[in-house]
Structure formats: C-alpha cells, structure tokens
Amino acid sequence: MTTALTKAFGIGLAALLLTAGAAAQLQSATVEYSADTSLEHAEGAMKGKVYSAPGKERREMKAGAETVVSIMRTDKKITWMLMPEQKMYMEMKQNAAAPGKDDLSAYKIEQTVVGKETMNGVETTKSKIIMTGQDGSKMGGFMWMSKDNIMVKMDAVAIDKGSKNRFKSELTNIKIGKQDPALFEIPPGYQKMSMPGMDMGNMGNMKDMRK
C-alpha cells in the first residue's frame, strides 16, 4: 500500500470509526442489510458497499486504484482491515486506548431530536449529536436514523486543538435482508501484517484525521 493511499484511507477510516462509534454508542441496527455507501472527508471522497448484521459490519471502499475492506466485529471487539490485492490484513483492537483518552465509550454524547425527514427514500429521525471527550476534543453534527436504527446519513465536524475537519457518510440503495456470514470473516489464504499507529486507539484519536 502506497504512502498516499495509507494516508487517504487512514483519514477516511478515522472518520468512519468515529461515525460508526457514535452510532454504536447510541443505538445499533436491529436488522441485517446491505447498501451503497459514500464517505467524504478532508482528503476527498470514497465510495463502496456496506454489509451489516448485529455486532458485525463490513465496508468495501475504493482508495485510489485499490479496494480496502474493513470488517468491524463489535461482538469480538476487533476490527480487521483487508487488502484484497495483496491478500493481507491488519487487526486492530477496539477501545484499545486508556479510558478517557481515545476510547469512544468515554465520550459524553448529547443527542437532540430535530424531527422526521425522508432521506434517500427512507423515513428517518434527524438528531443533533455532540460528542465531547475528556481531553476537550469534540465531534458535532447531524445524524439520520431509520426506524430499524440504520444510520442513513451523518454530517459532522471533528474539532481538536482548534483544528476542524468535516466528514460526511451516507447510505443509498438500502436492502434489508439476511447477509452471508462469510462476509464478516477473514477469507482463507490471507496473511496478517502489522503497521505501527494503526490500532483503534490511534485511529479513534481525532488529531490523526488531519495528519
């Protein structure tokens, strides 16, 4: 993976983890589903697919000419990042940082319902979200959740030490239904690799989003 690709995907993954972390802290989806997904962040935009089941989520995103797959297993408190072209993967422990520092569970979350709104053909409840960390970092914006607790859209700004970084995630073509369990496992033949600084604790740190 090139340095530019690592940087672009690292920033996108940080935004994704904050987004997914916020959603998980509030309410998890109660159904299995697949959808097209887009993520806009400081370094540009990424598009792909998302597959979700309770305690499990898979995202296949295009980063440059390569496809990178992230599998979040909240049931195991582990996230895997797969690189199909190289048949390699990295493993990151969720909430690996010390409580009160980078652990998303240590953030104070304020949610205020704004009202009902149809988003991409889905009836949702729009809420204002403010996450405040014990170190003073903040994330604030709006979240659109379906009746099945699917986060259809999130538009937010992360603030840390005076720096602001906006990111937006959105789902379209949502299809509710049973997902193949194999989607949430590491495929046979993949080799594990390590990359310094890619633990969930570091990825969850908002300051990493602007490196």
Side-chain angles (χ1 to χ4, degrees), residues 90-161:
M90 290 182 289
E91 182 175 295
M92 298 168 280
K93 295 180 180 180
Q94 296 175 12
N95 296 336
K101 186 177 180 182
D102 295 324
D103 187 345
L104 285 172
S105 66
Y107 279 72
K108 176 184 178 182
I109 300 178
E110 301 174 57
Q111 179 181 16
T112 304
V113 174
V114 176
K116 300 293 184 179
E117 187 173 322
T118 299
M119 181 62 58
N120 299 329
V122 179
E123 292 186 8
T124 67
T125 298
K126 179 181 179 180
S127 298
K128 182 178 180 180
I129 302 294
I130 298 177
M131 293 177 61
T132 305
Q134 295 182 13
D135 61 353
S137 57
K138 289 186 177 182
M139 182 180 77
F142 295 93
M143 181 182 291
W144 288 259
M145 302 286 289
S146 76
K147 64 179 179 63
D148 297 311
N149 295 337
I150 298 173
M151 191 183 69
V152 180
K153 181 179 178 179
M154 186 174 193
D155 193 343
V157 174
I159 303 174
D160 183 40
K161 296 180 174 61

Side-chain angles (χ1 to χ4, degrees), residues 30-54:
T30 57
V31 295
E32 297 188 27
Y33 68 90
S34 66
D36 295 325
T37 181
S38 63
L39 175 64
E40 298 178 17
H41 53 84
E43 294 294 315
M46 304 168 70
K47 292 186 177 181
K49 295 283 295 185
V50 59
Y51 306 89
S52 181

Side-chain angles (χ1 to χ4, degrees), residues 33-87:
Y33 68 90
S34 66
D36 295 325
T37 181
S38 63
L39 175 64
E40 298 178 17
H41 53 84
E43 294 294 315
M46 304 168 70
K47 292 186 177 181
K49 295 283 295 185
V50 59
Y51 306 89
S52 181
K56 308 171 185 179
E57 183 178 278
R58 176 190 180 103
R59 288 181 184 258
E60 301 174 354
M61 308 295 290
K62 290 290 290 185
E66 299 185 58
T67 298
V68 184
V69 179
S70 62
I71 301 176
M72 297 184 69
R73 293 293 302 267
T74 55
D75 59 339
K76 293 185 175 183
K77 298 187 182 302
I78 288 176
T79 293
W80 295 308
M81 197 167 104
L82 281 57
M83 288 149 281
E85 286 81 3
Q86 294 84 8
K87 291 193 178 298

